[in-house]
Amino acid sequence: MNIEELTEYCQSLKFVTTEILWGDVLVFKVGGKMFCFAPMDEGELKMNLKCDPEEAIELRERFPAVLPGYHMNKRYWNTVLIDGSVSDNMLRIWIGNSYRLVLSKLSKSDRKLLEV
């Protein structure tokens, strides 16, 4: 997966907005809340994803490319190195899980605004 494929997949999810923050970080949000972001100017592609705390630990133990979330609450966020060691399909699953987790935590009124 490259940055274009990451962007295309994230933007294919309903109600996703995209912006650039902190100078060079591509941020994907649903309902104004981040679910995925990726620095654009670093040599190796990586992304941060929100995760259920138990799943976050399990993924770190199973996959060397999954690390505690860089500059984030490490209980809820993982940094995933997109280095080819994890299949694109698995990366899409993890992105989708992050998206659904964030979506599920939105207030009822915010979800209603998104017609969820």
Side-chain angles (χ1 to χ4, degrees):
M1 180 175 285
N2 59 38
I3 193 73
E4 291 82 14
E5 292 166 327
L6 171 67
T7 300
E8 183 178 327
Y9 181 70
C10 288
Q11 290 178 338
S12 75
L13 302 170
K14 285 185 171 185
F15 314 113
V16 169
T17 59
T18 306
E19 59 187 287
I20 296 175
L21 295 176
W22 311 299
D24 65 345
V25 179
L26 189 57
V27 179
F28 303 96
K29 296 180 177 183
V30 61
K33 305 288 184 183
M34 293 188 300
F35 70 91
C36 177
F37 61 91
M40 295 187 297
D41 74 344
E42 296 185 11
E44 94 182 315
L45 182 59
K46 59 186 169 187
M47 64 182 163
N48 278 26
L49 298 172
K50 192 150 194 186
C51 208
D52 170 81
E54 290 179 19
E55 183 183 18
I57 293 168
E58 178 187 330
L59 293 175
R60 291 175 204 158
E61 290 173 352
R62 288 185 52 208
F63 297 92
V66 180
L67 310 168
Y70 183 69
H71 284 300
M72 299 300 288
N73 183 330
K74 288 156 182 41
R75 179 174 175 170
Y76 298 102
W77 287 88
N78 279 339
T79 296
V80 180
L81 306 177
I82 304 176
D83 60 4
S85 66
V86 177
S87 72
D88 287 358
N89 189 49
M90 184 65 71
L91 295 175
R92 286 186 197 94
I93 290 169
W94 293 347
I95 293 166
N97 289 346
S98 179
Y99 167 83
R100 284 185 293 281
L101 179 63
V102 171
L103 190 62
S104 75
K105 300 295 182 182
L106 295 176
S107 68
K108 271 188 175 182
S109 60
D110 285 344
R111 286 196 309 268
K112 186 161 178 67
L113 287 173
L114 297 176
E115 305 170 341
V116 176

